Amino acid sequence: MNQASKPLPVWIDIVVIPLINLMLALSVSIVIIYLIGANPFEAIKLMIQGAFGSSEGVGYTLYYATNFIFTGLAVAIAFHSMLFNIGGEGQAYIGGLGVAVVLLAFDHYLPAWMLVPMALMASMVFGAAWAAIPAYLQAYRGSHIVITTIMFNFIAANLMVYLLVNIFIEPGSMTPQSRPFLDNAWLPSMQAIFADIGIKISESPLNLSFIFALIASFFVWIYVWHTRWGYEMRSVGFSEQAASYAGIKTKRVVMITMLISGGLAGLVGINEIMGVQHKLMLDFVAGYGFTGIAVALMGRNHPVGIIMASILFGALFQGGAELAFDMPIISKEMVFVIQGLIILFSGALTYMSRPWIEKLFCVFYQTRNLREI
Amino acid sequence: MTDSPVAIELKDISKSFGSVQANKNVNLKIYKGTIHGIVGENGAGKSTLMSILYGFYEADHGKIYVNSKETTIKNSTDAINAGIGMVHQHFMLVENFTVLENIILGAESGMMLSHSIANAKNEIRKLEESYGLYVDLNALVQNIPVGQQQRVETIKALYRGAKILILDEPTGVLTPQEADQLFDILRALKEQGTTIVIITHKLREIMRLTDYVSVMRGGEIVTSLKTSQTSKEELAELMVGRKIHLEIDKTPVKPGETLIDVRNLGLTDAQGVKRLDNINFQVKAGEIVGVAGVSGNGQSELLEILSGLSPCSEGKVQISDITITPKRQTDPRAVRNASIAHVPEDRIKRGLIPQFVASETAILGYHNSSAYNGIILTKTEEIRNHCVYLMKNFDVRPNNPDIKSANFSGGNQQKLILAREMEKIPKVLLVGQPTRGVDIGAIEFIHKQIVDIRDKGSAVLLVSGELDELLSLSDRIIVMFDGKIVGQVDASKADERMLGLLMTNSYENKEESQNESSI
Amino acid sequence: FDMGGKFDKSFNEGVYNGVEKFKKETGISYKSFEVTNPTQREQAIKKMAKRGANPILGIGFAQGPAIEKVAGEYPNTKFAIIDMVVNKPNVQSIVFKEQEGSFLVGMLAAMASKTHKVGFIGGMDIPLIRKFECGYAQGAKYADPKVEVIQNMTGSTPSAWNDPSKGGELAKAQFDRGVDVVFAAAGGTGIGVYQAAKDAGKLAIGVDSDQNYLQPGTMLTSMVKRVDVAAYNFYKSVKNGTFKPGIISLGLKENGVDWAYDKYNKNLITDKMKKAVQKAKADIISGKIIVHDYMSNNSCK
Amino acid sequence: MDFFSFNEILSIFSATIRISTPLIFAAMAGIFSERSGVVDIGLEGKLLAGAFASASVAAVTHSAWLGLGAAIVIGLILSLIHGFASITHKGDQVVSGVAINIIVSGLTVVLGMAWFHRSGQTPTLPNDARFMPINLYGVDTISNIPIIGDIYSKLLSGYNLLVYVSFAAVALTYWTLFKTRFGLRLRAVGENPKAVDTAGISVNLLRYKAVLIGGILTGIGGTYISIAQNASFIKDMSAGQGYIALAAMIFGKWKPIPAMFSCFLFGFLEALSMRLQGVSLPLIGEVPVQLIQASPYILTVILLAGFVGRAIAPKADGIPYIKER
Ligand SMILES: Nc1ncnc2c1ncn2[C@@H]1O[C@H](COP(=O)(O)OP(=O)(O)OP(=O)(O)O)[C@@H](O)[C@H]1O
Ligand SMILES: Nc1ncnc2c1ncn2[C@@H]1O[C@H](COP(=O)(O)OP(=O)(O)OP(=O)(O)O)[C@@H](O)[C@H]1O
Ligand SMILES: [Mg+2]
Ligand SMILES: [Mg+2]
């Protein structure tokens, strides 16, 4: 969206500027942490250590990143058709429902290698189905997708409470959650996978879904930029009139795009339900759908950017949790503040420092040129 | 050159966008009360120079003198205060505002709108009367034809008290009649002391209208001349740096089988207005049929139906292998598969996707072809090579498939679209406004390509607002008025005057039909 | 020690008070953590165990599975969980008979009501909240067979526990239907219910902690769930070496639940009401009255 | 259907008005902002911040008015931040809004704990530090007249001042947008900022003004939530109303009066759903609570699909204005 005004070496745009933004966000956080009476440098050290300092920390970071990659991709792909899918939250929730339905129905009868693809399908189909009505209404009735997807988030929440309390609940249980799946319906954890090949890593919720997320990113990249369908999708996004001139069925493209988007969001269900919780429960989406919006925008709607932004957000979540754990004075809300500041500086004030750097860069080059003369 | 005082003087103006130097040490004097033309190829830097004068861009260095006083123009407010007004090439109008609201925007006479509106109405009446600038003040801008929109822009400038008026390619989108009216207005303005700077690609207009003319090339002013002391040919050569053939060499027509057969075609729009009424004509292979008409008389609708973009409500069309009736709709994809190519009238909105790189635009509409697709993946290399090939064939500059489509000049965008549509030598070629806003070097080239493809046996249907283009390219010309065909003439036997008369068939009804016209 | 995060405020505050009391008395420090998403529950508990924290207390039913898992991995660490049953040799499960406390406040509501209509406002429609509601309705019917119990749930998303505006509107809607005493089991949402009751001159009943002080004159009573005592006792027992795994079920008899009677609501409770409630309490303790538990069959009958 | 007596219908309508008030403030704020071309997802955060500021200041000073003032100041500050990111630095408007929401959600609790030591809640306010319901002139006498009196006393009278202010805000928004010079320019800048720029008006300044007005309005809206509708701040008490307001604004096609009515619609559906819980419908029997709770959202979708045509946003909405293009 932002047009770079003057050409600078690429490394400045993708390395230096993001770093500066991160620094700025951290400086503001430091001031706030100092004001509430904690040692800010200790806090930041804890946060970084928590996120990346141990294989367990990294595991958690990547586990969160997995969710963000799915929801970020969902938002991004819709964006390429100029559709603002705010419904990732609900689609992920329903995607998890799909996973649970399949696993609860078949975990007694089928082996793991059959359950995994079935659950993958179910998560995507359910997520896509939840996106289908808003998509249809947008394409054929002109209802604004932002409103309909927001509404569908609420509807999904109500549906899930109803189902969990009245249908899926384990009899006699206090908790509105389904029975745990049998072991064969658990997605292998990274720890187990690494153990198989002889590498020991500490336990974390990180599981095979992370690989699925990377594969999904790759597919999105291929789909958007290297297939005719992606071409059509971007055409519709940039110019509906030109797209129809080119013989593209714009309404169908809107439908397909939203179905893919919903399917991607639904994959959160694989990570959470099949990979980590091993049962259907309330509120397992925990806002990942909304975070996906920020992730997609920060990642410039490109899979590589989304993966990087997801890891940043994963680190914020994990590091933040560790920070709150180890520094009682810092509450989870304080961690929100730090996260918000980082989003603000790296996502919205992205180019704030650019003019300065441009100047610096010019001066630097001029002096170098002078010296050469 | 003369003793009349200098209204504007530019000294050493330079401006670059990144690595592109759009203006290089430009020096220019414009005399008070004259009409000064600026010509130059696409991308020569004309618009940039005028935008600097109007404060839309800031020059990297150089000085501007207005009425011999050095003036800093950092933004449009400065320009307006210095008495400069501008009619931009792409209108700066708020489409869903009324004409009146657009005129007073930024020049309101008080806090309250009602007050401003009352005041403005009187003043605009005065402008209307003294210059013949009539507009419907209460119409929404999006509902009035471009000619009217341009008047709105002009009134906007005058309403702000402009004594110096800049017009960037004002006639690009106007019909000859509208252009004539504009020139009358400009002459009236000049009479009353306004200084006018006009950018145009049409040398004929320069010769008819201006007192002085400056030629730009590669960001520099090559020369400034008194119009009476130069000629079209000289200007053309100065612009392009080589000789230009303004005449087209054409072999006699050798018509083949009928490829477009339109019978009793009719179209009634959602409001129940008849946009097309009982249209009948044929186009044969190896023949160029031109469609003349004041814009808004059904030419665009005709093109849209033939290209499958919109359905018809009556009659029958046989085009290539495709039959179109009200019951049997078709779509652009089927049309293209039947070897029908379409160069749309509005290149920015339909013909290309500004955000796509050139190679992507180069396959728009053909993107499903197996030449560019594997089973799943697109063949990126093939697409790029194809684009490079098209660019070479049609002399698209810069010859780089990785540049965003938006960043080519209009003429080059047009060449790329033409290249795409003509490369496969379609059976039928539908072309709308092929040279709108394109410099004469490119026009020469485009005309030659269209004649070439006809000689290769394509049936060409050409919709254009340029009468001389129609006259020199077409073999036959049909004239449309109010959704009907009011005349079919042999191009070799027709002239501009005759077409003009046909196009305005019943002049008294014209105003009415324009109000009904589409956006 | 672990805070059950998003659940209700009054409830967590109770635990906090109990733990603070223990800390003050013994000088033993503790670590707490508030979760923001389901995955963090296990993460936090495990981390505490790993760091050698002993004992560890999980608060709220949502912690159950996490405690169960971690307790298996750290068999030497002593755990306790409130509001949930976990069958492990090193886990003490502390559950409350909320239905009994709710029964008593239900009686009070019915007796205080002039319209024979009493209200219940829950947070989310989940079993725990139905347990409250069910006991409340039984108590109300016991005291006044003609009474009508009108119930509402606030929502289906976590914001249902923090939406006082909606709580207030729900209360007003119930008042419009003739309710004049309302019991809120909805966390932060309850604040709005109490405020609405005060603004409308009706009565309200608090939950978990003694909330009578919040709106004196409006708060008829509170259904007190002595999580503070439970937490305190648990730590104490570990310290004294009297820790016993298994289920501890705290009802009226064990002083785990009760109704609040203090200086703030003295004037609202007549002697007659007080007597009736005290009698019922005794009857429940003695087993003469059996309050049906929603959990036993996921139904209120 | 005979579930609802006349009195109950009146009470549904008056609940509708009470529920709609913060939505209206936020929706008007959204209209100002988006009409100028700046998307404002941060409405939610600004409402919450306003709620916190007014409750805190009112708790300390015992003055509702000072609370209101503080909320407005906070709204302005947050708007400046949003403007700084998305107008001055052409940053992504949605990301900026999301960031503001997250920061506010955290910071209100952090500050609340630091100042009032009550897990993020502010002290309960006495009535004289709140905006209390006011009775319109002559309510006591008129209320005795049947029907008309009921309508007057129950439907028109008895709201707090800010409810009436919200109606005034709608009128003022309408007037500003469509009757003043400022409004003309504002609408123009959201449609075609280039046109505004070439007309000699600063695009950025205009957008800042619009966003700042939005800050004032959300400040009032937040004040309503914490010290008029309620008597203290509770964490996350805006509970998604900012997003609903955004939806209402789109539903109302970025026009003040239709947007107000869509706020009413949301409010009404919510008020209705509260009263439908536990009521059993003929034939169907008792409807699950969740279905009733979801009904406002389901109905909105149905209405959107059936009755409301394509909503067309201001053309430049969400697009930072970069001159050199
Ligand atoms: N905003 C911009 N950013 C980058 N380069 C620009 C920009 N505007 C113009 N240029 C460059 O400046 C050159 C001159 O552009 P300008 O618009 O002045 O041409 P022009 O003479 O008006 O062309 P035309 O006849 O097509 O209107 C172009 O070749 C282009 O490369
Ligand atoms: N963002 C940009 N980057 C680089 N060059 C640009 C950019 N925008 C415009 N240009 C250049 O500016 C010049 C003028 O652009 P403009 O949009 O005025 O087209 P034009 O050539 O004047 O159109 P027309 O053919 O209708 O007269 C073009 O040569 C184009 O290459
Ligand atoms: Mg130009
Ligand atoms: Mg041009």
Side-chain angles (χ1 to χ4, degrees), chain B residues 104-122:
Chain B
I104 61 175
L105 179 67
E108 306 88 344
S109 47
M111 260 280 292
M112 302 305 305
L113 271 189
S114 49
H115 179 234
S116 307
I117 286 176
N119 275 4
K121 273 193 176 146
N122 287 331

Side-chain angles (χ1 to χ4, degrees), chain C residues 104-118:
Chain C
L104 297 187
V105 298
M107 282 179 66
L108 284 168
M111 289 185 286
S113 170
K114 297 188 182 68
T115 55
H116 302 288
K117 282 184 183 163
V118 298

Side-chain angles (χ1 to χ4, degrees), chain C residues 28-43:
Chain C
I28 297 173
S29 72
Y30 66 94
K31 221 169 187 36
S32 73
F33 183 71
E34 207 177 337
V35 300
T36 49
N37 62 55
T39 315
Q40 283 180 357
R41 288 181 192 131
E42 189 182 320
Q43 183 186 9

Side-chain angles (χ1 to χ4, degrees), chain B residues 12-74:
Chain B
D12 253 357
I13 298 282
S14 291
K15 169 82 185 168
S16 34
F17 297 103
S19 53
V20 180
Q21 177 125 39
N23 288 147
K24 212 180 321 175
N25 302 325
V26 170
N27 289 294
L28 181 63
K29 274 187 190 165
I30 290 162
Y31 299 97
K32 205 170 228 157
T34 64
I35 301 185
H36 194 119
I38 297 182
V39 295
E41 279 184 291
N42 292 123
K46 310 177 293 285
S47 299
T48 307
L49 189 63
M50 292 304 119
S51 298
I52 289 171
L53 186 52
Y54 192 64
F56 196 65
Y57 294 147
E58 236 181 296
D60 299 340
H61 66 76
K63 290 196 175 110
I64 301 173
Y65 297 84
V66 180
N67 298 325
S68 308
K69 265 209 319 272
E70 185 175 346
T71 312
T72 349
I73 301 181
K74 281 177 110 57

Side-chain angles (χ1 to χ4, degrees), chain C residues 59-115:
Chain C
I59 296 160
F61 61 83
Q63 308 282 348
I67 293 268
E68 180 162 8
K69 179 135 182 267
V70 182
E73 290 167 22
Y74 292 88
N76 296 326
T77 305
K78 298 188 175 61
F79 293 88
I81 168 117
I82 295 184
D83 268 358
M84 177 82 189
V85 177
V86 171
N87 289 316
K88 286 272 172 198
N90 53 338
V91 181
Q92 186 181 73
S93 308
I94 305 167
V95 292
F96 291 88
K97 295 180 183 159
E98 289 92 352
Q99 70 274 20
E100 294 183 357
S102 301
F103 185 93
L104 297 187
V105 298
M107 282 179 66
L108 284 168
M111 289 185 286
S113 170
K114 297 188 182 68
T115 55

